[in-house]
Amino acid sequence: MASSRPRDLQLNENGRLRHFLTIEGLSRDLLIRILDTAESFAALPGRPVKKVPLLRGRIITNLFFENSTRTRTTFELAAKLLSADVINFNIGTSATSKGETLLDTLRNIEAMHSDMFVVRHAQSGAAHFIAEHASPRVSVINAGDGRHAHPTQAMLDMFTIRKHKGDFTPLRVAIVGDVLHSRVARSQILALNTLGVSEVRVVGPRTLLPSDARSMGVHVFHDLAEGIRDVDVVIMLRLQNERMDGALLPSEHEYFRLYGLTDERLENAKPDAIVMHPGPMNRGIELDSAVADGPRSVILQQVSYGIAVRMAVLSMAMQSQADLEVEA
Ligand code: NCD
């Protein structure tokens, strides 16, 4: 679907984030700028007056061609806290299911004068395609495309890690489970390596790890205890059953026996290791409830931090549009 490389599209001439489609090609400095900007927004939701007027008068359209709860609602909340007006299109129930093309949907929403699209689509490259075809005055934020990328999820995960661990450089991070089908894992691996962590590991059965995993700059493990030994961060992934063609697993019971995270297995990680999951999680399959609700779990904090990180990305992209307005 995509024809030019995403990094060519993502930054404007001043090096500002115009679209946010992938972590690929972005510098460490830019990722740190996103985290620092998010930090400045993180206190807002807890205040009596929660809104700032940065995006007042702007229209943001959530274009969701695939289901979502936390990503869509935290994008909506982020936009509202920045004082933007928000339109939600759930396209599963809308015109494309009646045969309209993606480009027609785009043109119609542009005709409604939207300044920014937040796009989720089951096909890899969809957000990039929209960014290539959208008017120059529109920014596109990828909220998850197929197996390809989910950059705001990766950045909220980085924000959560930084909150708990401070410096990225000494960290060992294990990503456990269905890496093969996970856009989250792909974006996390790029972000962790760009931020300079000491080691990224992927842990899972052969059938659920990409065959080219090593070329992604990770160490590969098939044994859970070994894979999480002495790590600072354990990131659990959901089994993406909807993206599996055919049986890649013997059974969910067997998967839990081999790869399910329990308190006992977590003993292999560092004593102060944190446990993360992008959600939605399958209790008793990917991890035990005792771990999900336990003292090392930061899973709900990830959701809260997602608001500040999405505010950062929306406001930075809108700032790049302000550059255009200055030129005009
Ligand atoms: C992830 C997604 O949709 O890619 N979830 C999310 O954004 N919170 C991960 C998943 O669905 O497993």
Side-chain angles (χ1 to χ4, degrees):
M1 215 174 194
S3 56
S4 75
R5 303 237 300 266
R7 59 175 152 270
D8 303 329
L9 271 179
Q10 292 200 106
L11 303 179
N12 75 3
E13 329 167 318
N14 301 332
R16 289 200 214 261
L17 195 66
R18 170 153 179 249
H19 303 295
F20 193 37
L21 308 173
T22 172
I23 304 289
E24 196 180 353
L26 299 182
S27 66
R28 180 180 174 280
D29 279 0
L30 189 86
L31 300 192
I32 297 285
R33 210 175 318 142
I34 294 173
L35 298 179
D36 290 346
T37 308
E39 194 69 57
S40 72
F41 290 129
L44 277 176
R47 289 203 198 145
V49 176
K50 300 176 172 50
K51 285 199 181 193
V52 290
L54 280 173
L55 266 60
R56 190 162 57 203
R58 308 288 187 164
I59 300 173
I60 298 183
T61 302
N62 279 328
L63 259 174
F64 277 63
F65 296 84
E66 202 189 64
N67 287 341
S68 163
T69 27
R70 80 214 77 208
T71 302
R72 198 194 59 70
T73 43
T74 51
F75 262 113
E76 180 170 353
L77 191 52
K80 287 182 167 165
L81 292 176
L82 292 165
S83 307
D85 288 307
V86 185
I87 301 170
N88 289 307
F89 272 82
N90 294 320
I91 317 279
T93 57
S94 172
T96 32
S97 54
K98 299 179 189 159
E100 185 175 271
T101 68
L102 189 53
L103 221 46
D104 282 330
T105 306
L106 170 67
R107 295 289 173 244
N108 276 275
I109 294 167
E110 274 179 347
M112 299 175 203
H113 306 290
S114 187
D115 297 288
M116 202 176 291
F117 298 149
V118 177
V119 180
R120 168 167 290 198
H121 202 289
Q123 191 160 350
S124 300
H128 184 206
F129 175 83
I130 291 181
E132 272 188 314
H133 291 89
S135 113
R137 302 208 161 269
V138 167
S139 291
V140 179
I141 311 295
N142 186 2
D145 63 324
R147 300 184 190 187
H148 173 236
H150 193 351
T152 59
Q153 177 69 44
M155 290 314 293
L156 75 87
D157 295 332
M158 298 308 115
F159 189 86
T160 308
I161 293 173
R162 192 171 79 162
K163 276 280 187 203
H164 285 269
K165 301 289 167 194
D167 185 11
F168 285 101
T169 48
L171 300 180
R172 256 189 227 127
V173 180
I175 304 175
V176 181
D178 184 3
V179 178
L180 180 66
H181 300 99
S182 175
R183 53 197 177 203
V184 174
R186 236 165 283 278
S187 291
Q188 287 168 336
I189 291 167
L190 285 162
L192 288 164
N193 281 329
T194 306
L195 291 166
V197 299
S198 124
E199 189 184 353
V200 185
R201 302 176 178 180
V202 294
V203 186
R206 276 185 179 74
T207 48
L208 294 181
L209 297 183
S211 53
D212 63 344
R214 281 188 186 83
S215 69
M216 296 161 78
V218 297
H219 292 103
V220 177
F221 292 79
H222 300 297
D223 179 80
L224 179 61
E226 223 181 285
I228 64 172
R229 184 153 300 136
D230 295 328
V231 300
D232 302 274
V233 179
V234 184
I235 301 177
M236 303 304 294
L237 298 173
R238 182 175 68 86
L239 287 176
Q240 310 256 315
N241 290 310
E242 74 280 18
R243 295 188 219 285
M244 294 184 196
D245 340 302
L248 295 177
L249 293 170
S251 71
E252 286 177 344
H253 178 75
E254 184 68 1
Y255 181 82
F256 182 71
R257 195 178 68 75
L258 292 171
Y259 294 101
L261 191 62
T262 58
D263 273 332
E264 196 189 340
R265 291 209 165 117
L266 192 52
E267 302 267 306
N268 290 287
K270 286 204 181 146
D272 63 349
I274 54 170
V275 176
M276 301 171 63
H277 193 303
M281 62 182 163
N282 295 306
R283 290 169 182 262
I285 299 174
E286 292 131 22
L287 74 179
D288 206 20
S289 277
V291 176
D293 305 327
R296 312 219 225 156
S297 165
V298 297
I299 294 170
L300 291 176
Q301 291 175 37
Q302 288 173 264
V303 179
S304 301
Y305 293 147
I307 303 164
V309 168
R310 291 180 170 129
M311 287 175 82
V313 170
L314 294 174
S315 64
M316 286 168 72
M318 202 55 91
Q319 186 62 42
S320 81
Q321 292 193 20
D323 288 354
L324 277 179
E325 283 153 21
V326 170
E327 283 160 24

